[in-house]
Amino acid sequence: MDEQDQQSLTGGVIQEHNLDLAQLWLDYIALGGNATQQDIKDYTAGRTSLPAKERDVLSQAVNEHPDPEGRPRELLAMAPYSNSPLTVPRRDSSGPQSCM
């Protein structure tokens, strides 16, 4: 997965779950992350980039964050890792799909 896709998807998961960035940063630091709180804020807003290791630690912090509504983890969107495959829907080989 390229950096921009990971950044966009991780930011989307953070917004979807309404995660508090200050708490998320503390979780990220506890997992060994080295970026500043401002770096994480800028990264999730798409204003800066992070090395793959830092992106993956942030994804881990996002994925370990408990759901405030108590939903099971398998029902939640997960932040991807730098080595996650980016899956694209396959088109039927007979031609373009029509929208009905």
Side-chain angles (χ1 to χ4, degrees):
M1 168 168 305
D2 74 19
E3 181 179 350
Q4 288 178 330
D5 289 335
Q6 185 180 11
Q7 181 181 36
S8 177
L9 292 168
T10 300
V13 171
I14 290 169
Q15 285 184 322
E16 179 180 333
H17 297 293
N18 198 26
L19 299 179
D20 177 69
L21 285 180
Q23 182 59 52
L24 184 60
W25 179 74
L26 291 173
D27 296 341
Y28 160 84
I29 292 297
L31 290 169
N34 292 312
T36 66
Q37 187 173 4
Q38 187 63 48
D39 291 338
I40 297 302
K41 185 176 182 178
D42 290 343
Y43 172 77
T44 59
R47 293 188 295 261
T48 192
S49 63
L50 292 173
K53 176 203 174 278
E54 300 304 322
R55 297 192 315 264
D56 288 344
V57 174
L58 180 61
S59 289
Q60 185 68 34
V62 169
N63 292 338
E64 288 184 2
H65 204 278
D67 180 51
E69 297 177 21
R71 294 173 290 189
R73 181 152 314 279
E74 58 270 7
L75 297 179
L76 301 175
M78 303 293 279
Y81 296 96
S82 60
N83 64 352
S84 296
L86 183 59
T87 318
V88 178
R90 300 175 89 175
R91 289 184 173 248
D92 182 0
S93 60
S94 64
Q97 295 179 352
S98 62
C99 297
M100 293 186 186

